Amino acid sequence: MTIKTAWITGATSGFGAAAVERFVAGGWQVIASGRRAERLQALVDRHGAERVHAVAFDMRDEAAMRAAHAALPAAFANIDLLVNNAGLALGTAPAQQADLAQWKQMIDVNVTALVTLTHLLLPQLVERRGAIVNISSISGSYAYRGGNVYGGTKAFVTQFSQNLRTDLHGTGVRVTSIEPGMAQTEFTVVRTGGDQAASDKLYAGAQPITGNDIAETIWWVANLPAHLDICRLEVMPVSQSAAGLQVHRD
Ligand code: NDP
Ligand code: 8X3
């Protein structure tokens, strides 16, 4: 049986780390990327260098991304699946009080880096009739206070996914936008600048989505018969739903 290869970005934590475990358990090879090299090395130590190839770089560093791609060992060079998972939210302030540097960082990682890696891998994904799974978010569809640029980046990811599908029509390449709701990962600790108590409070009693839940979803999407494309998939915990519009009165 031919062993398939996935490149999973954001593999050091949350959805990405869980996806590495799921794909390795399912017999795939994984290229695991992220900034925290020691966490990537732990994946290699656990699964072996023949199953996991670690590439530590900042997604905003295009030269490092290209170098990591160019230096892939031959055994990992034929990529069947790109999981564009690396991303972040920074801040919860309304737009008029937000930090511009945080806005730019979210755009750089969630949008610019995602399209750069996609552009880099597209030729071989077309050649191999591969697949792309983009991790978007319900924040791209539903407005909430403080969602401003984060939600904007995820609306981009959702729409980019649909546009990719259209451009890739006839190539056999599958594209999926997975749009999770509230999930307990390091996401809120990062968003709040390290406030573990705020993160714990947000998730308390809500039974949020877990990293394993989304890893299992990515696995399912990627392993469906080749004639099926899950185009968009919105996933929320049962405890979460949309809550409508607001009205300000003088
Ligand atoms: P985590 O914070 O647990 O994981 C985020 C991952 O992104 C880490 O592996 C981190 O790696 C990586 N990352 C962030 N910035 C960079 C960068 N500059 N360069 C390289 N890698 C980077 O959060 P989640 O697992 O929850 O998030 C994964 C994706 O899911 C994100 O795109 C997020 O927007 C999305 N999402 C999350 C939801 C949630 O509620 N948790 C819901 C919907 C979508 P490192 O720090 O080592 O670089
Ligand atoms: C993360 C989900 O709704 O907290 O993308 O922004 S949300």
mmCIF file of all heavy atoms in Angstrom, residues 137-139 144 150 180-181 187 191, ligand 2:
data_model
loop_
_atom_site.group_PDB
_atom_site.id
_atom_site.type_symbol
_atom_site.label_atom_id
_atom_site.label_comp_id
_atom_site.label_asym_id
_atom_site.label_seq_id
_atom_site.Cartn_x
_atom_site.Cartn_y
_atom_site.Cartn_z
ATOM 1 N N SER A 137 -13.263 29.143 10.564
ATOM 2 C CA SER A 137 -13.896 29.317 11.883
ATOM 3 C C SER A 137 -15.305 29.845 11.687
ATOM 4 O O SER A 137 -15.592 30.546 10.703
ATOM 5 C CB SER A 137 -13.085 30.333 12.704
ATOM 6 O OG SER A 137 -13.835 30.835 13.784
ATOM 7 N N ILE A 138 -16.163 29.563 12.660
ATOM 8 C CA ILE A 138 -17.505 30.161 12.619
ATOM 9 C C ILE A 138 -17.419 31.684 12.728
ATOM 10 O O ILE A 138 -18.341 32.388 12.340
ATOM 11 C CB ILE A 138 -18.417 29.618 13.734
ATOM 12 C CG1 ILE A 138 -17.842 29.925 15.123
ATOM 13 C CG2 ILE A 138 -18.697 28.135 13.552
ATOM 14 C CD1 ILE A 138 -18.872 29.804 16.235
ATOM 15 N N SER A 139 -16.290 32.191 13.230
ATOM 16 C CA SER A 139 -16.140 33.650 13.356
ATOM 17 C C SER A 139 -16.075 34.325 11.991
ATOM 18 O O SER A 139 -16.214 35.542 11.898
ATOM 19 C CB SER A 139 -14.877 33.991 14.154
ATOM 20 O OG SER A 139 -13.737 33.572 13.436
ATOM 21 N N TYR A 144 -19.228 38.703 16.209
ATOM 22 C CA TYR A 144 -19.347 38.872 17.659
ATOM 23 C C TYR A 144 -18.397 39.974 18.081
ATOM 24 O O TYR A 144 -17.415 40.257 17.372
ATOM 25 C CB TYR A 144 -19.090 37.564 18.433
ATOM 26 C CG TYR A 144 -17.701 36.989 18.283
ATOM 27 C CD1 TYR A 144 -16.648 37.398 19.103
ATOM 28 C CD2 TYR A 144 -17.441 36.003 17.340
ATOM 29 C CE1 TYR A 144 -15.372 36.858 18.970
ATOM 30 C CE2 TYR A 144 -16.171 35.454 17.196
ATOM 31 C CZ TYR A 144 -15.139 35.885 18.016
ATOM 32 O OH TYR A 144 -13.883 35.356 17.883
ATOM 33 N N TYR A 150 -9.962 39.087 13.329
ATOM 34 C CA TYR A 150 -9.873 37.619 13.363
ATOM 35 C C TYR A 150 -10.978 37.012 12.488
ATOM 36 O O TYR A 150 -10.711 36.180 11.613
ATOM 37 C CB TYR A 150 -9.967 37.093 14.797
ATOM 38 C CG TYR A 150 -9.959 35.576 14.828
ATOM 39 C CD1 TYR A 150 -8.834 34.859 14.432
ATOM 40 C CD2 TYR A 150 -11.095 34.854 15.204
ATOM 41 C CE1 TYR A 150 -8.831 33.469 14.417
ATOM 42 C CE2 TYR A 150 -11.106 33.469 15.194
ATOM 43 C CZ TYR A 150 -9.973 32.778 14.793
ATOM 44 O OH TYR A 150 -9.985 31.398 14.769
ATOM 45 N N PRO A 180 -14.835 25.480 12.746
ATOM 46 C CA PRO A 180 -15.211 25.115 14.118
ATOM 47 C C PRO A 180 -15.685 26.319 14.928
ATOM 48 O O PRO A 180 -15.291 27.467 14.692
ATOM 49 C CB PRO A 180 -13.904 24.570 14.722
ATOM 50 C CG PRO A 180 -12.946 24.420 13.578
ATOM 51 C CD PRO A 180 -13.377 25.431 12.562
ATOM 52 N N GLY A 181 -16.498 25.996 15.910
ATOM 53 C CA GLY A 181 -16.859 26.968 16.937
ATOM 54 C C GLY A 181 -15.924 26.804 18.125
ATOM 55 O O GLY A 181 -14.745 26.445 17.970
ATOM 56 N N PHE A 187 -5.726 28.231 22.115
ATOM 57 C CA PHE A 187 -6.238 29.377 21.371
ATOM 58 C C PHE A 187 -6.530 30.599 22.260
ATOM 59 O O PHE A 187 -6.091 31.712 21.960
ATOM 60 C CB PHE A 187 -7.517 28.931 20.638
ATOM 61 C CG PHE A 187 -8.218 29.985 19.852
ATOM 62 C CD1 PHE A 187 -7.812 30.299 18.562
ATOM 63 C CD2 PHE A 187 -9.321 30.660 20.371
ATOM 64 C CE1 PHE A 187 -8.475 31.259 17.809
ATOM 65 C CE2 PHE A 187 -9.983 31.626 19.633
ATOM 66 C CZ PHE A 187 -9.559 31.924 18.351
ATOM 67 N N ARG A 191 -4.819 34.193 22.662
ATOM 68 C CA ARG A 191 -5.626 35.379 22.353
ATOM 69 C C ARG A 191 -5.561 36.424 23.462
ATOM 70 O O ARG A 191 -5.580 37.624 23.212
ATOM 71 C CB ARG A 191 -7.089 34.950 22.125
ATOM 72 C CG ARG A 191 -7.985 36.081 21.698
ATOM 73 C CD ARG A 191 -9.379 35.625 21.317
ATOM 74 N NE ARG A 191 -9.961 36.561 20.372
ATOM 75 C CZ ARG A 191 -11.014 36.327 19.625
ATOM 76 N NH1 ARG A 191 -11.657 35.190 19.714
ATOM 77 N NH2 ARG A 191 -11.461 37.249 18.783
HETATM 78 C C1 8X3 B 2 -12.435 30.439 17.115
HETATM 79 C C2 8X3 B 2 -13.881 30.379 17.381
HETATM 80 O O1 8X3 B 2 -15.912 31.828 17.720
HETATM 81 O O2 8X3 B 2 -14.204 31.814 19.452
HETATM 82 O O3 8X3 B 2 -12.233 30.601 15.757
HETATM 83 O O4 8X3 B 2 -13.821 32.969 17.389
HETATM 84 S S1 8X3 B 2 -14.476 31.813 17.996
#
